[in-house]
């Protein structure tokens, strides 16, 4: 009985995220996907800050402050823009828009050349 209530809650949350295909999956699988995603994002941001601090040299403290300010501004701007776009296009189209933005970002980054080339 309790499992059915928890399962229904989990399904509604996943359905609300636009991931209805994963809603019928087991709870451990959903938890594993969320853990992988969370760990991956943590690695990316820690890696960026480590790279910044190594390249800043003696100006590590001001560089870190600028990094944190830009990071927080990006979160705020993203939340504002995302909320406005969500109000216009709705949840299902928001997921598709996010996928397009990610694909464009991957294409852009893959075309970058390292400074040594």
């Amino acid at each position: 009985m309790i499992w059915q209530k928890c399962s229904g809650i989990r399904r509604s949350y996943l359905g609300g995220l636009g991931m209805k295909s994963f809603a019928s999956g087991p709870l451990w699988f959903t938890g594993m996907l969320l853990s992988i995603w969370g760990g991956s994002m943590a690695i990316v941001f820690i890696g960026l800050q480590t790279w910044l601090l190594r390249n800043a040299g003696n100006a590590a403290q001001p560089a870190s402050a600028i990094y944190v300010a830009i990071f927080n501004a990006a979160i705020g701007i993203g939340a504002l823009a995302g909320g406005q776009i969500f109000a216009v296009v709705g949840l299902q189209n928001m997921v598709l828009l996010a996928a397009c933005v990610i694909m464009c970002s991957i294409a852009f980054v893959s075309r970058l050349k390292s400074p040594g080339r």
Side-chain angles (χ1 to χ4, degrees), residues 27-52:
L27 183 60
W28 67 267
F29 183 69
T30 305
M32 183 181 67
L33 287 178
L34 289 173
S35 297
I36 291 170
W37 176 77
S40 300
M41 295 313 322
I43 290 169
V44 167
F45 296 126
I46 290 171
L48 282 173
Q49 189 159 20
T50 301
W51 172 79
L52 175 90

Side-chain angles (χ1 to χ4, degrees), residues 1-16:
M1 186 84 137
I2 293 174
W3 170 250
Q4 290 173 342
K5 289 181 182 178
C6 292
S7 179
I9 291 170
R10 178 176 53 89
R11 286 187 179 132
S12 66
Y13 284 144
L14 291 175

Side-chain angles (χ1 to χ4, degrees), residues 51-113:
W51 172 79
L52 175 90
L53 292 174
R54 282 186 182 166
N55 289 323
N58 292 336
Q61 196 167 19
S64 181
I66 292 170
Y67 174 81
V68 169
I70 291 171
F71 187 83
N72 286 334
I75 290 172
I77 292 168
L80 178 65
Q84 296 299 316
I85 293 169
F86 177 79
V88 173
V89 301
L91 181 63
Q92 293 298 327
N93 291 330
M94 188 72 164
V95 173
L96 294 174
L97 179 64
C100 291
V101 168
I102 290 169
M103 293 304 293
C104 290
S105 299
I106 290 170
F108 176 75
V109 169
S110 69
R111 296 186 54 80
L112 292 175
K113 295 182 180 178

